[in-house]
Amino acid sequence: MPNLNPKSWPLAIKLSLTITAVVTAVGFMIGAVMVVQDWTRAHEVLGEKALLLSESVAITAPKAIVRKDFWSLYLGLKNLRSGSNEIISAMILDVEGRVQAHTHPAKNPMGLRFSPENELEMDLYGQAMGARKPVVFSSGGFDRAGFQEAVIPIFADQKYLGVVRVRLSVARLYEKAKTSALIVLALVLCFVIIGSALGTLVSRHMVKPLTAVTQGLEAVGRGEMTDFSPISIKGKDEIGRLSVTFNQIMVELAEKKMLEEEVAMSEKLVALGRITAGVAHEVNNPLAGLLNCIDTLRKHPNDKALFDRYLPVIDQGLHRIKEIVHNLLVGLRIEEGDEMVGIDHIDKLRDLIKAEIADRDIKVVWENQADRNLSISGKLEQIVYNLLRNAVEVLADGGVIHCRMYQKGSYLTIEVEDNGPGISAAIRNQLFDPFFTTKSNGTGLGLWVVYRLTQNLEGIIEVESEEGQGTTFHVSVPVAKAKAA
Amino acid sequence: MSLNVCLKSARLICLFLALAMTPGFAVAADAPIRFGLTAVVVTENLRFLDQWSDYLAAKMDREVELVLRKSYREVMDLLNSGAVDFAWICGFPYVQKRDPETVQLLTVPVYRGAPRYHSYIIVPHNSPYKRFSDLKGKIFAFSDPDSNSGFLYPLDLMVAREERPESYFRQTFFTFNHAETVQAVSEQFADGGAVDSYIWEYLASYRPDMTEKTRIIKKSPSFGFPPIVARSGLDQVTVELMKNTLENMSRDSAGQSLLSQLKLDGFGDYSDSLFNDIRAMANRVQIDDANFQVQLAE
């Protein structure tokens, strides 16, 4: 379906439509003026013709009226008719308004008073009888049935004898005017078509660089900048200057993008280095201890006490390495496997965390307002578990953990709030870095995993924290994603 | 002084001698024969008039000039003054008494086997009038104030009804042409009119569109057909020549062709008593022209 809102039409179309509209309006106005002028002039000419015809009758009429030679008067009017087929009616009336001759004798008997058919005729009759000078009456308007009527009073030796009325039909003028109106209309249409075509061409030509700029900017919006080809510059007007500027901007943007990509690449390398260093460091530390323990045990193979002391240490060290490797795997291979689970799985975390709290004095407040039928990614479960464990680890006795879940729009938001020591501003931007930890025995991978999983779910994670007041993590993930399956 | 008189007398005598020595027929041949007419049938048939004058000229070996006038009265004036030698006039002017008599009956056209015709009282074909009395107070068209069929006869009808002719109709007018009377009635300019039956029938075959719009409500008794007359005092040779030429027209093809155009059988020798009926009518009806607003010579 085409876009019906003119505001979003391309400039080229709007421009050419405007040109077309202007051309049409001007064409029609000129045409209308021509037709109206032609009509008016033809009317005047017809009026003059009626006057001439009346005059020709009025010249010979007095003698015939005086001598009551009605037949000559009648033949005179008849001759007018044979000379002009535009005559609707012609009549000669005497002082009293009695018909002396009429082109329609059957309806207007000679010798009787002329009887007008309607009010308009009555009015015209009154005016005609009152006329002492030649006048032309016009029916006015653009009407096929219109007429021009000439009225000439008849005088003989300054004595008023009556009046000649000759009425001519505008029907022929009307047909002519209609024909010329049609011709003008056709011309205007040709004009409009040619004008629109030219207008379209011109506006296309003018708007072409703008279209290129727009397309270029749209490509920038989509992040495509590699296949940018500079706009050809045609002229030094505003559009030309815009094109130049746009080309410069595009070149700069492309350079910037390249730079950004380089930076991103080096950042990736840095991160990789940090992870590698972290892994090396975190794994190396227990490994050194473990190797020492094993060395000592090998030297004293029969010292039972040493075994009892070192084996738990070895066990602990290996578990720590296992945890680190596990977390790394979770954090790095998050793309793999995304099973959907019911929202109630999250509620089970409550018991799990309570088990972790064991007999410490930490309170857990649980509010789940999300739709009970919602299914969520298993990854979300991992996210919440990590956040809860973090909270438990930072809290001292008397701590409170709030876990809230609710839906807002198409997002499911989970908030984990604690009233612990908070995070100092100095380290806030390192919070999600791998191997960054403030805890003596932390791996520094818990929040990194949370961050990676949230990213993977196309969610948003936010931290609100004030030193000494506590910390709140907000995780919002799209429900559509969570709901899938 | 007496010398002068003598000289003048001598010149006159010379002139007289010159004229007397020229043979009689040669004198007559120099001056054309002038023939007076009102509209023959319809005014437009000028080509026919040319053919007829050519025919007569050829037959008589004399130049013949046809003189057209609007009314019978004008033609009568021409006859009285000697400006025309012959004329085709109506029976009514023919029977009017003149002292001294200025015309003599020459010959009478024969129409449909007899030298007679009628007057028709006609009305528009769609009019409600059925009788002449229905036309009282209406508009009536007369042909010529000297026409028998177009004026005298309807006047006589009114006189017979003891009506005053001048106030019988609301409006009257003269068309001076029977064909135009038919036109006036057919176009409903007049509610009724009186026309020559010969003209009406002539139009019925050449202009049926006109006569179809009229209806005959009264047909008069037959009257003597409008005759050809010669002015009194015209030399008998010319009179006889014209009479013979006209009466012999039906004997040659050119003449027959002309007669057939006129829808006449020929011309015949009839006595003056043919017009007694018209004469009687003219005596009954005393016409005061002024009451009829007769409009003559323009």
Side-chain angles (χ1 to χ4, degrees):
Chain A
M1 188 168 167
N3 195 339
L4 290 175
N5 182 7
K7 283 185 180 167
S8 56
W9 290 354
L11 202 56
I13 289 178
K14 279 197 271 196
L15 251 178
S16 51
L17 278 180
T18 310
I19 291 172
T20 307
V22 169
V23 167
T24 312
V26 169
F28 273 103
M29 258 165 61
I30 292 172
V33 166
M34 274 169 63
V35 169
V36 167
Q37 265 197 341
D38 195 38
W39 172 252
T40 317
R41 204 178 46 77
H43 243 77
E44 282 165 12
V45 170
L46 193 71
E48 281 164 22
K49 190 176 174 184
L51 268 179
L52 271 174
L53 290 173
S54 307
E55 192 78 58
S56 72
V57 173
I59 286 169
T60 54
K63 209 195 279 183
I65 291 177
V66 170
R67 294 174 182 175
K68 303 210 178 291
D69 187 2
F70 305 114
W71 183 241
S72 295
L73 290 174
Y74 176 69
L75 286 182
L77 295 185
K78 286 276 291 180
N79 287 341
L80 287 189
R81 265 203 121 167
S82 62
S84 166
N85 55 6
E86 287 163 329
I87 293 183
I88 302 174
S89 66
M91 67 183 88
I92 300 168
L93 307 177
D94 72 359
V95 185
E96 307 285 325
R98 283 186 302 248
V99 176
Q100 304 297 291
H102 196 291
T103 45
H104 303 287
K107 282 184 193 159
N108 304 278
M110 188 239 293
L112 297 186
R113 213 175 269 275
F114 176 68
S115 58
E117 286 170 356
N118 49 44
E119 245 171 70
L120 171 75
E121 291 298 325
M122 191 73 210
D123 183 41
L124 285 174
Y125 167 69
Q127 290 188 51
M129 291 312 292
R132 290 297 176 269
K133 266 190 288 189
V135 268
V136 175
F137 298 131
S138 179
S139 65
F142 188 68
D143 187 2
R144 206 181 187 295
F147 57 82
Q148 289 282 92
E149 181 179 314
V151 173
I152 294 195
I154 305 167
F155 287 97
D157 195 21
Q158 297 185 343
K159 182 175 157 37
Y160 178 65
L161 293 180
V163 73
V164 182
R165 302 174 66 187
V166 174
R167 182 175 292 188
L168 300 185
S169 164
V170 300
R172 247 179 49 196
L173 297 189
Y174 180 83
E175 293 304 327
K176 264 192 200 164
K178 234 169 69 176
T179 313
S180 58
L182 280 177
I183 291 169
V184 166
L185 190 74
L187 281 175
V188 165
L189 278 179
C190 291
F191 205 55
V192 165
I193 290 167
I194 295 168
S196 314
L198 280 177
T200 308
L201 277 178
V202 168
S203 53
R204 278 263 167 93
H205 186 73
M206 281 173 67
V207 168
K208 206 173 172 185
L210 281 182
T211 311
V213 168
T214 312
Q215 282 169 354
L217 286 174
E218 277 169 2
V220 173
R222 286 194 303 269
E224 303 159 7
M225 266 179 296
T226 44
D227 56 352
F228 162 72
S229 51
I231 302 164
S232 57
I233 293 144
K234 296 169 183 158
K236 288 183 175 177
D237 55 4
E238 286 83 348
I239 291 175
R241 294 209 300 274
L242 175 69
S243 306
V244 172
T245 314
F246 176 74
N247 284 346
Q248 283 171 354
I249 288 172
M250 286 305 282
V251 168
E252 276 165 25
L253 272 177
E255 280 171 5
K256 198 178 163 211
K257 178 101 193 264
M258 266 170 66
L259 265 171
E260 271 174 4
E261 276 171 3
E262 277 168 26
V263 167
M265 181 57 93
S266 60
E267 271 177 359
K268 255 186 197 169
L269 288 173
V270 168
L272 192 65
R274 198 189 299 142
I275 288 170
T276 317
V279 170
H281 180 254
E282 289 299 322
V283 173
N284 206 33
N285 274 354
L287 274 183
L290 290 179
L291 288 174
N292 270 342
C293 286
I294 290 165
D295 240 16
T296 311
L297 287 177
R298 199 178 279 150
K299 279 173 191 164
H300 308 89
N302 300 319
D303 191 339
K304 179 82 167 60
L306 268 181
F307 270 84
D308 287 346
R309 218 174 96 201
Y310 282 161
L311 272 181
V313 173
I314 291 167
D315 188 57
Q316 199 184 357
L318 286 174
H319 267 96
R320 186 175 162 79
I321 290 168
K322 188 188 169 200
E323 194 187 343
I324 287 168
V325 171
H326 170 79
N327 274 335
L328 275 173
L329 283 176
V330 170
L332 292 172
R333 289 178 166 184
I334 45 177
E335 284 82 8
E336 290 175 8
D338 188 16
E339 51 175 330
M340 301 303 290
V341 294
I343 188 105
D344 51 323
H345 269 67
I346 294 222
D347 289 339
K348 285 179 188 162
L349 291 175
R350 186 183 184 181
D351 301 327
L352 208 60
I353 208 69
K354 276 194 173 159
E356 295 231 353
I357 293 167
D359 49 358
R360 288 169 67 196
D361 180 17
I362 293 172
K363 205 176 153 195
V364 177
V365 182
W366 201 267
E367 289 173 51
N368 187 350
Q369 293 165 354
D371 183 2
R372 294 277 90 192
N373 299 321
L374 203 64
S375 43
I376 52 163
S377 165
K379 288 168 187 167
L380 197 58
E381 206 182 343
Q382 178 79 49
I383 291 168
V384 178
Y385 179 62
N386 282 15
L387 291 176
L388 284 171
R389 264 186 59 188
N390 254 16
V392 171
E393 278 166 22
V394 296
L395 280 176
D397 279 358
V400 181
I401 299 172
H402 276 273
C403 184
R404 286 184 286 269
M405 278 155 275
Y406 57 88
Q407 277 168 272
K408 197 174 178 185
S410 57
Y411 278 84
L412 170 68
T413 303
I414 298 165
E415 290 174 5
V416 178
E417 182 187 347
D418 66 60
N419 56 351
I423 304 160
S424 72
I427 59 163
R428 225 168 269 167
N429 52 355
Q430 289 172 277
L431 214 54
F432 298 107
D433 287 355
F435 301 109
F436 175 81
T437 183
T438 51
K439 289 171 276 187
S440 54
N441 60 343
T443 59
L445 289 173
L447 281 178
W448 175 69
V449 166
V450 166
Y451 180 75
R452 296 274 297 162
L453 289 173
T454 309
Q455 253 190 340
N456 181 251
L457 291 176
E458 290 171 17
I460 302 159
I461 184 160
E462 283 171 345
V463 191
E464 233 179 276
S465 182
E466 209 173 315
E467 264 183 287
Q469 297 293 313
T471 308
T472 311
F473 285 88
H474 303 263
V475 177
S476 296
V477 291
V479 173
K481 203 81 182 163
K483 216 178 187 175
Chain B
M1 193 171 122
S2 66
L3 183 69
N4 261 348
V5 173
C6 280
L7 277 173
K8 272 184 186 167
S9 306
R11 265 188 234 148
L12 278 171
I13 290 160
C14 287
L15 190 66
F16 179 74
L17 284 175
L19 283 169
M21 285 193 299
T22 320
F25 68 88
V27 172
D30 286 340
I33 296 175
R34 291 161 66 90
F35 199 119
L37 293 165
T38 59
V40 174
V41 192
V42 285
T43 33
E44 302 92 80
N45 41 15
L46 292 177
R47 206 161 49 86
F48 168 78
L49 293 179
D50 282 349
Q51 289 170 7
W52 197 18
S53 65
D54 288 349
Y55 173 86
L56 293 176
K59 287 283 172 192
M60 295 164 71
D61 198 22
R62 289 278 299 273
E63 201 182 322
V64 175
E65 192 184 315
L66 298 180
V67 180
L68 272 170
R69 286 296 179 269
K70 182 180 174 181
S71 64
Y72 287 129
R73 200 153 297 177
E74 288 163 273
V75 175
M76 289 308 294
D77 287 346
L78 292 176
L79 272 174
N80 293 341
S81 68
V84 295
D85 306 312
F86 301 96
W88 192 352
I89 58 170
C90 183
F92 182 31
Y94 172 68
V95 300
Q96 277 166 0
K97 284 200 165 58
R98 280 164 293 266
D99 191 22
E101 184 55 82
T102 52
V103 298
Q104 50 178 312
L105 181 63
L106 185 76
T107 182
V108 183
V110 181
Y111 173 59
R112 296 188 177 177
R116 291 184 165 274
Y117 79 125
H118 307 268
S119 170
Y120 286 166
I121 304 296
I122 56 170
V123 295
H125 69 116
N126 55 357
S127 89
Y129 315 126
K130 291 194 170 67
R131 282 180 295 278
F132 182 70
S133 56
D134 292 340
L135 291 169
K136 189 174 179 180
K138 302 290 183 300
I139 306 169
F140 197 84
F142 295 119
S143 295
D144 186 307
D146 288 314
S147 164
N148 169 52
S149 59
F151 188 55
L152 182 61
Y153 172 67
L155 245 57
D156 188 49
L157 284 177
M158 290 179 267
V159 169
R161 284 171 173 75
E162 295 182 346
E163 296 273 5
R164 284 166 54 81
E166 52 274 26
S167 58
Y168 188 75
F169 299 112
R170 189 179 82 236
Q171 297 280 355
T172 59
F173 60 92
F174 292 97
T175 64
F176 292 96
N177 184 329
H178 289 283
E180 284 184 31
T181 303
V182 177
Q183 184 192 354
V185 173
S186 72
E187 291 175 7
Q188 302 182 40
F189 184 70
D191 298 312
V195 290
D196 184 323
S197 68
Y198 160 65
I199 308 284
W200 193 92
E201 299 293 349
Y202 178 90
L203 287 173
S205 52
Y206 288 107
R207 291 286 308 277
D209 57 306
M210 259 169 82
T211 51
E212 273 166 11
K213 286 184 191 145
T214 64
R215 182 157 48 83
I216 301 162
I217 58 166
K218 189 164 182 65
K219 184 177 171 182
S220 74
S222 70
F223 301 114
F225 204 94
I228 313 282
V229 295
R231 74 174 158 86
S232 306
L234 184 66
D235 67 288
Q236 210 50 41
V237 181
T238 311
V239 171
E240 284 303 318
L241 185 60
M242 179 60 87
K243 185 175 164 71
N244 289 333
T245 309
L246 288 173
E247 287 177 3
N248 287 330
M249 266 179 82
S250 58
R251 299 225 173 94
D252 65 72
S253 63
Q256 279 166 6
S257 152
L258 290 168
L259 285 170
S260 77
Q261 284 188 58
L262 284 173
K263 298 258 166 203
L264 292 177
D265 301 335
F267 292 88
D269 181 31
Y270 295 95
S271 82
D272 172 72
S273 62
L274 181 64
F275 301 99
N276 282 345
D277 293 339
I278 299 176
R279 197 168 276 126
M281 252 185 347
N283 288 332
R284 278 201 296 275
V285 179
Q286 295 301 316
I287 302 164
D288 180 2
D289 284 350
N291 290 321
F292 288 100
Q293 295 116 17
V294 176
Q295 186 50 49
L296 293 177
E298 284 296 317

